[in-house]
Each structure stands twice: as structure tokens, then as C-alpha cells.
């Protein structure tokens, strides 16, 4: 039994064009609408929600309103997690630097005095060194901590931060 895949349909998706605007300015566009710190930490707007329906409306509103601030919180927590897990930071720098260095050879062998290593041997050596160190650095627990800490911080802020008064009046007028 064979299955025919329409290749013209797959080619028409234009995946390269879809990601061009992401590459062109995703970071500058993401952080362009960063809200001021005084607005993000406005203690006058902190209040306990009355019921779960109010939590939902607050979270929906605040996730879109403070999305850039929440992305900045994620970046700061990511930096913190790498600074507290120095072995993982070392492994990341080792792998990136090793790949960059091997790529700079341009396919030529590395000659160091009496040792000659092909790029294949260098990649294998990097793999043999980086995988055990990477497992020992516990990246999964770091990623799970990052997901949990970001989720608690973002959902906690979004559920306790009340909407501005201006948005409440604009909703009633509609």
C-alpha cells in the first residue's frame, strides 16, 4: 500500500517566506512594547480576584498587555538559571565554541604538532566530551525549573494585577 503526497501543495506553503519577518526584527518587535516598570509593579492595582471568572479575565487581559514584560521575565529567569548552574553554562559554551572552531577549519584537518585530527574525529571528540557533561549538568531539571518558575511568576502576576480603570470604562462603552 503506497501513499501519494502532493509535493506541489507542500512546496506552496513557502516556509522560508513565513520566517523572514521573524528573523528581520523579532527581538526588537517583541521588546518594542515593553511596559514601564512602574506600571508593571503598580501596587495600587494588586488585588485578590473575587472568583475564578475574574481570574480568567485578568489573565487574558494581562497576558496580552504585559506580554513583552513576561518575555523579559523569562529571559531574566533563564540567565539566572544558567548563572546558578555553571556546569550547564560551561557545556553550552563548550559545544557552541567547539562547533564554531571546527567550522572555522573549513573541512581541513587540525594539525597540532604531532597530532592530526579530521573534522569527523573532532566532532566525535566533542560529542564524547559534551554528552556526559551535559547529562551531569542536569539540563532537564533546569528547563523544568525554568518552566515552573516562569509559570508561577507570570500567572501569579497576571491573576493578581487588576485591569486599569481606563480599560474597565472602555469595556462598558462597547
Amino acid at each position: 500500500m503506497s501513499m501519494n503526497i502532493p509535493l506541489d501543495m507542500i512546496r506552496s506553503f513557502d516556509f522560508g517566506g513565513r520566517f523572514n519577518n521573524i528573523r528581520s526584527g523579532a527581538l526588537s518587535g517583541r521588546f518594542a512594547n515593553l511596559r514601564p516598570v512602574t506600571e508593571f509593579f503598580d501596587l495600587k492595582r494588586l488585588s485578590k480576584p473575587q472568583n475564578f471568572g475574574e481570574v480568567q479575565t485578568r489573565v487574558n487581559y494581562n497576558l496580552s498587555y504585559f506580554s513583552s514584560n513576561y518575555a523579559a521575565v523569562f529571559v531574566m529567569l533563564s540567565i539566572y538559571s544558567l548563572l546558578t548552574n555553571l556546569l550547564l553554562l560551561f557545556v553550552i559554551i563548550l559545544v557552541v565554541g567547539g562547533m564554531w572552531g571546527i567550522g572555522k577549519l573549513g573541512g581541513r584537518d587540525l594539525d597540532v604538532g604531532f597530532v592530526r585530527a579530521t573534522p569527523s574525529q573532532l566532532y566525535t571528540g566533542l560529542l564524547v566530551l559534551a554528552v556526559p557533561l551535559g547529562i551531569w549538568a542536569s539540563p532537564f531539571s533546569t528547563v523544568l525549573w525554568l518552566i515552573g518558575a516562569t509559570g508561577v511568576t507570570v500567572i501569579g502576576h497576571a491573576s493578581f494585577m487588576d485591569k486599569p480603570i481606563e480599560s474597565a470604562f472602555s469595556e462598558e462603552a462597547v
Side-chain angles (χ1 to χ4, degrees):
M1 182 188 283
S2 68
M3 186 169 134
N4 293 330
I5 299 173
L7 293 177
D8 292 334
M9 185 178 86
I10 293 172
R11 288 184 191 133
S12 69
F13 282 135
D14 186 31
F15 290 113
R18 289 178 189 238
F19 296 114
N20 280 341
N21 83 3
I22 293 173
R23 277 182 268 154
S24 65
L27 282 178
S28 63
R30 164 55 62 192
F31 294 110
N33 60 350
L34 198 62
R35 304 291 178 195
V37 174
T38 55
E39 186 178 354
F40 188 66
F41 293 119
D42 188 8
L43 296 178
K44 295 174 189 157
R45 289 181 34 211
L46 280 180
S47 66
K48 181 182 158 205
Q50 298 297 321
N51 53 29
F52 189 70
E54 188 177 352
V55 171
Q56 285 179 319
T57 57
R58 285 183 182 191
V59 168
N60 284 338
Y61 177 79
N62 287 329
L63 282 181
S64 63
Y65 189 72
F66 290 116
S67 64
S68 295
N69 294 71
Y70 295 144
V73 166
F74 174 76
V75 168
M76 288 188 285
L77 286 172
S78 299
I79 292 169
Y80 173 78
S81 68
L82 285 176
L83 290 177
T84 56
N85 191 349
L86 291 176
L87 182 59
L88 182 61
L89 180 63
F90 172 74
V91 170
I92 290 171
I93 291 171
L94 175 76
V95 169
V96 169
M99 298 289 282
W100 177 80
I102 295 170
K104 289 296 268 184
L105 290 174
R108 297 184 311 267
D109 292 348
L110 177 66
D111 287 323
V112 180
F114 58 89
V115 177
R116 182 182 191 99
T118 65
S120 176
Q121 291 170 332
L122 292 173
Y123 281 121
T124 304
L126 184 63
L127 180 79
V128 166
L129 185 63
V131 168
L133 281 175
I135 292 171
W136 190 27
S138 65
F140 298 116
S141 64
T142 303
V143 167
L144 290 175
W145 177 88
L146 185 60
I147 291 168
T150 304
V152 167
T153 305
V154 168
I155 298 299
H157 180 272
S159 61
F160 284 107
M161 183 63 70
D162 202 3
K163 291 189 213 178
I165 296 172
E166 300 86 32
S167 70
F169 287 127
S170 67
E171 286 177 1
E172 289 178 10
V174 173

